[in-house]
Amino acid sequence: MRGLDWTQTGLGAPERWPAALKTVVGLMLGSKFPMFIAWGRELNFLYNDAYIDVLGAKHPSAMGRPFAAVWAEIWDEVRPLIDRALQGDATYHENLPLRMRRRGYDEQTWFTFSYSPLRDDADRIVGVYCACTETTATVLSATHRAEELERLRLMFEQAPGMMAVARGPDHVLELANRAYMQIIGHRNVLGRTVRDALPEIVEQGFVELLDRVYQTGEPYIGSAVPIRLQKRPGAPLEEHVVDFIYQPIRDACGTVSGIFLQGTDVTDRTRAMRELQASDRRKDEFLAMLAHELRNPLSPIRSAAELLRHHRLDEAGIRQASDIIVRQVAHMTELVDDLLDVSRVTRGTISLEFAPLDVAAVVANAIEQVRTQLQAHRHRLTVHNPRSPVHVQGDPTRLVQVLGNLLGNAIKYTPDGGAIELAFDRDGDDVVISVRDDGIGIDADLLPHVFDLFTQAERKADRSQGGLGLGLALVKRLVDLHGGQVAARSDGIGRGSEFVVRLPRIEVTDEPAPLADASDRRALAVHRILVVDDNRDAAESLGLLLQLQGHAVTLAHDAATALQAAGREHPDVMILDIGLPDLDGYALARQLRARPDTAGARLIALTGYGRDVDHESSHAAGFDHHLVKPLDIDRLLELLDKPC
């Protein structure tokens, strides 16, 4: 200040300053608190050392300059406050935001300060006195703290798990997040004790747990604990399952002052685990059932085979033993076919051939499939037909399978002599087909699961009904593929059951062609046949069957022998196993197709593999047909009877 030429300022030489100005400058310079004085017509600026930090790069050039020049960037904001001081009205401002340029750039600052009027020796107001402190750091710290608290509040509020805070020995709910409010039903609980806010949990032991945690200071962890909550007044209690922890909150002295409640609603997870466990249990039961069902037909097959081997049977006995074997093999084949059908439908690899169908024809074919079973069990079947034909768009084979399975299910679970009703009719844009029986019925707990895989009603130890529990699962999936729905109904054990299929109805102008009957077949033509199978029993038994039909048969048990026999016998049909010891059936087929003497022969694959990919592989190798073991002899004879 002494080095400044004050004569160049509006204040003039210091020795001419009024006594009042000298006095206030002396007081200012002796203070450690940031202060400045703006004096005279131009409000020339004077300040102490403590104020230098406020000025930043504006020091020392600010000394003696007009206020408006020193703080030009904030002049419009502070001028009204200065005018009030010049009019004799002192003002005080706390944490006033000011955007200042002190270091060559704009920065947001906050100040707490007062503007007071300054008087000259004649008691006239000629300036402004300011005592100030910069609160930028304090304001920013408070802002950051508030933002952090807001982030924590949002995290608390939006946390996926339940959170709440209960204070005091009575557990007054102080905070609760959205997840907590959702599970309890959005009641008004804040400021109320847990006992008052959630009265239904008092008898479930949760309040006692809170008391224990508050008294002992030891946290409590609960896993998969059931809780019943009444979410609306007068509503029934809803069952939930929760994982939770009660964590004590301690004050500065280490005393428990409250409890932090944190938890997760694991109802869906628990239900899924229970369903998975039930599914695993059903799968294990199914595997045991499968073993039982496959062993059952093997016993009569073996007994019949032993009888045939000892050559002590007359013609009637031989016929009876043969019939036993045929029936039991057919039963085993049905079991395997069910497994394969379910697998194909589940994986989405089954192909359907849609055509307009008369539902009456589908029903007639399904009844024909189960007629023997109906007669064996003396069931009374009543069919209710509509007055006029109804039609659907569907795969005839699969829809017959659907109704056959439903009828077979009714037969299986209806005591001998019982009644079964099959009805179908139009219902708006749909066709509704129902199969009702007066059999053993379905338990209410089982009813929602009857279309699940591996599900069956309880059985007696003799398992007289048989089956694998796949029929209804297959029905559900096939109906879904036809764009329809299937439902099960039952009034309970001993009161029968009803299955209702709903399919989209179509209008047709021309009557659909009748469904083919596979039992109709012309007399077989005679062929020279080469049978190739490394299983000698399988090859020889098939050879005998074909010879009984009048065919000339040659047997081979490996690829090398087969190639020699093909060159020697010139067969027009060759039935090849795929799993041969020296060369697989695919490679053998390709070699036979490449030879001029056998290129035109009909090739039939006979294998235990029946997946879609297996059919594709055999076709790519040059096979004309793909048959799956155990062999359906009628199907083979039908193929042999067809022209090339």
Side-chain angles (χ1 to χ4, degrees), residues 121-136:
D121 296 342
D123 201 31
R124 293 172 301 184
I125 298 174
V126 294
V128 176
Y129 167 78
C130 175
C132 68
T133 182
E134 184 171 359
T135 58
T136 300

mmCIF file of all heavy atoms in Angstrom, residues 121-136:
data_model
loop_
_atom_site.group_PDB
_atom_site.id
_atom_site.type_symbol
_atom_site.label_atom_id
_atom_site.label_comp_id
_atom_site.label_asym_id
_atom_site.label_seq_id
_atom_site.Cartn_x
_atom_site.Cartn_y
_atom_site.Cartn_z
ATOM 1 N N ASP A 121 -15.952 12.113 7.973
ATOM 2 C CA ASP A 121 -15.902 12.898 9.202
ATOM 3 C C ASP A 121 -17.168 13.721 9.396
ATOM 4 O O ASP A 121 -17.494 14.124 10.529
ATOM 5 C CB ASP A 121 -14.684 13.834 9.163
ATOM 6 C CG ASP A 121 -13.381 13.032 9.130
ATOM 7 O OD1 ASP A 121 -13.423 11.824 9.487
ATOM 8 O OD2 ASP A 121 -12.346 13.579 8.717
ATOM 9 N N ALA A 122 -17.881 13.964 8.295
ATOM 10 C CA ALA A 122 -19.128 14.735 8.397
ATOM 11 C C ALA A 122 -20.337 13.821 8.556
ATOM 12 O O ALA A 122 -21.481 14.270 8.379
ATOM 13 C CB ALA A 122 -19.275 15.629 7.174
ATOM 14 N N ASP A 123 -20.109 12.571 8.829
ATOM 15 C CA ASP A 123 -21.153 11.570 9.040
ATOM 16 C C ASP A 123 -21.954 11.281 7.775
ATOM 17 O O ASP A 123 -23.104 10.881 7.815
ATOM 18 C CB ASP A 123 -22.100 12.012 10.173
ATOM 19 C CG ASP A 123 -22.856 10.825 10.765
ATOM 20 O OD1 ASP A 123 -22.279 9.703 10.776
ATOM 21 O OD2 ASP A 123 -24.009 10.992 11.187
ATOM 22 N N ARG A 124 -21.334 11.484 6.618
ATOM 23 C CA ARG A 124 -21.970 11.130 5.351
ATOM 24 C C ARG A 124 -21.501 9.728 4.917
ATOM 25 O O ARG A 124 -20.332 9.378 5.107
ATOM 26 C CB ARG A 124 -21.599 12.149 4.269
ATOM 27 C CG ARG A 124 -22.168 13.541 4.515
ATOM 28 C CD ARG A 124 -21.590 14.509 3.522
ATOM 29 N NE ARG A 124 -20.130 14.555 3.626
ATOM 30 C CZ ARG A 124 -19.359 15.377 2.927
ATOM 31 N NH1 ARG A 124 -19.899 16.202 2.048
ATOM 32 N NH2 ARG A 124 -18.041 15.363 3.079
ATOM 33 N N ILE A 125 -22.401 8.946 4.332
ATOM 34 C CA ILE A 125 -22.055 7.597 3.846
ATOM 35 C C ILE A 125 -21.289 7.750 2.547
ATOM 36 O O ILE A 125 -21.804 8.265 1.541
ATOM 37 C CB ILE A 125 -23.309 6.738 3.636
ATOM 38 C CG1 ILE A 125 -24.038 6.545 4.963
ATOM 39 C CG2 ILE A 125 -22.934 5.387 3.021
ATOM 40 C CD1 ILE A 125 -25.367 5.825 4.834
ATOM 41 N N VAL A 126 -20.034 7.322 2.571
ATOM 42 C CA VAL A 126 -19.176 7.499 1.397
ATOM 43 C C VAL A 126 -18.519 6.189 0.942
ATOM 44 O O VAL A 126 -17.721 6.194 -0.001
ATOM 45 C CB VAL A 126 -18.071 8.540 1.698
ATOM 46 C CG1 VAL A 126 -18.677 9.923 1.907
ATOM 47 C CG2 VAL A 126 -17.266 8.116 2.926
ATOM 48 N N GLY A 127 -18.845 5.067 1.577
ATOM 49 C CA GLY A 127 -18.206 3.811 1.188
ATOM 50 C C GLY A 127 -18.874 2.598 1.808
ATOM 51 O O GLY A 127 -19.885 2.702 2.509
ATOM 52 N N VAL A 128 -18.229 1.466 1.518
ATOM 53 C CA VAL A 128 -18.756 0.166 1.974
ATOM 54 C C VAL A 128 -17.630 -0.606 2.635
ATOM 55 O O VAL A 128 -16.500 -0.666 2.105
ATOM 56 C CB VAL A 128 -19.336 -0.642 0.805
ATOM 57 C CG1 VAL A 128 -19.784 -2.013 1.279
ATOM 58 C CG2 VAL A 128 -20.494 0.103 0.164
ATOM 59 N N TYR A 129 -17.944 -1.193 3.767
ATOM 60 C CA TYR A 129 -16.989 -2.049 4.473
ATOM 61 C C TYR A 129 -17.489 -3.490 4.384
ATOM 62 O O TYR A 129 -18.687 -3.754 4.574
ATOM 63 C CB TYR A 129 -16.878 -1.615 5.930
ATOM 64 C CG TYR A 129 -16.176 -2.611 6.821
ATOM 65 C CD1 TYR A 129 -14.788 -2.723 6.825
ATOM 66 C CD2 TYR A 129 -16.913 -3.452 7.664
ATOM 67 C CE1 TYR A 129 -14.162 -3.644 7.651
ATOM 68 C CE2 TYR A 129 -16.293 -4.374 8.480
ATOM 69 C CZ TYR A 129 -14.919 -4.470 8.473
ATOM 70 O OH TYR A 129 -14.292 -5.396 9.279
ATOM 71 N N CYS A 130 -16.546 -4.410 4.102
ATOM 72 C CA CYS A 130 -16.931 -5.835 3.959
ATOM 73 C C CYS A 130 -15.987 -6.716 4.753
ATOM 74 O O CYS A 130 -14.765 -6.622 4.612
ATOM 75 C CB CYS A 130 -16.912 -6.246 2.494
ATOM 76 S SG CYS A 130 -17.236 -8.012 2.246
ATOM 77 N N ALA A 131 -16.565 -7.536 5.589
ATOM 78 C CA ALA A 131 -15.835 -8.631 6.236
ATOM 79 C C ALA A 131 -16.376 -9.924 5.634
ATOM 80 O O ALA A 131 -17.597 -10.125 5.581
ATOM 81 C CB ALA A 131 -16.049 -8.607 7.743
ATOM 82 N N CYS A 132 -15.493 -10.770 5.165
ATOM 83 C CA CYS A 132 -15.980 -11.951 4.426
ATOM 84 C C CYS A 132 -15.134 -13.176 4.734
ATOM 85 O O CYS A 132 -14.006 -13.076 5.233
ATOM 86 C CB CYS A 132 -15.984 -11.685 2.929
ATOM 87 S SG CYS A 132 -14.329 -11.518 2.228
ATOM 88 N N THR A 133 -15.719 -14.338 4.422
ATOM 89 C CA THR A 133 -14.971 -15.599 4.460
ATOM 90 C C THR A 133 -15.452 -16.469 3.301
ATOM 91 O O THR A 133 -16.654 -16.520 2.998
ATOM 92 C CB THR A 133 -15.171 -16.340 5.802
ATOM 93 O OG1 THR A 133 -14.398 -17.534 5.797
ATOM 94 C CG2 THR A 133 -16.624 -16.699 6.032
ATOM 95 N N GLU A 134 -14.504 -17.083 2.635
ATOM 96 C CA GLU A 134 -14.877 -17.959 1.514
ATOM 97 C C GLU A 134 -15.316 -19.319 2.054
ATOM 98 O O GLU A 134 -14.591 -19.965 2.817
ATOM 99 C CB GLU A 134 -13.719 -18.123 0.538
ATOM 100 C CG GLU A 134 -14.118 -18.955 -0.679
ATOM 101 C CD GLU A 134 -13.067 -18.968 -1.772
ATOM 102 O OE1 GLU A 134 -12.012 -18.304 -1.600
ATOM 103 O OE2 GLU A 134 -13.298 -19.635 -2.798
ATOM 104 N N THR A 135 -16.489 -19.754 1.660
ATOM 105 C CA THR A 135 -17.052 -21.033 2.137
ATOM 106 C C THR A 135 -17.154 -22.053 1.005
ATOM 107 O O THR A 135 -17.911 -23.018 1.099
ATOM 108 C CB THR A 135 -18.443 -20.797 2.742
ATOM 109 O OG1 THR A 135 -19.289 -20.206 1.752
ATOM 110 C CG2 THR A 135 -18.366 -19.902 3.963
ATOM 111 N N THR A 136 -16.396 -21.820 -0.083
ATOM 112 C CA THR A 136 -16.497 -22.726 -1.244
ATOM 113 C C THR A 136 -16.236 -24.173 -0.845
ATOM 114 O O THR A 136 -17.014 -25.089 -1.203
ATOM 115 C CB THR A 136 -15.498 -22.292 -2.331
ATOM 116 O OG1 THR A 136 -15.800 -20.966 -2.737
ATOM 117 C CG2 THR A 136 -15.586 -23.227 -3.526
#
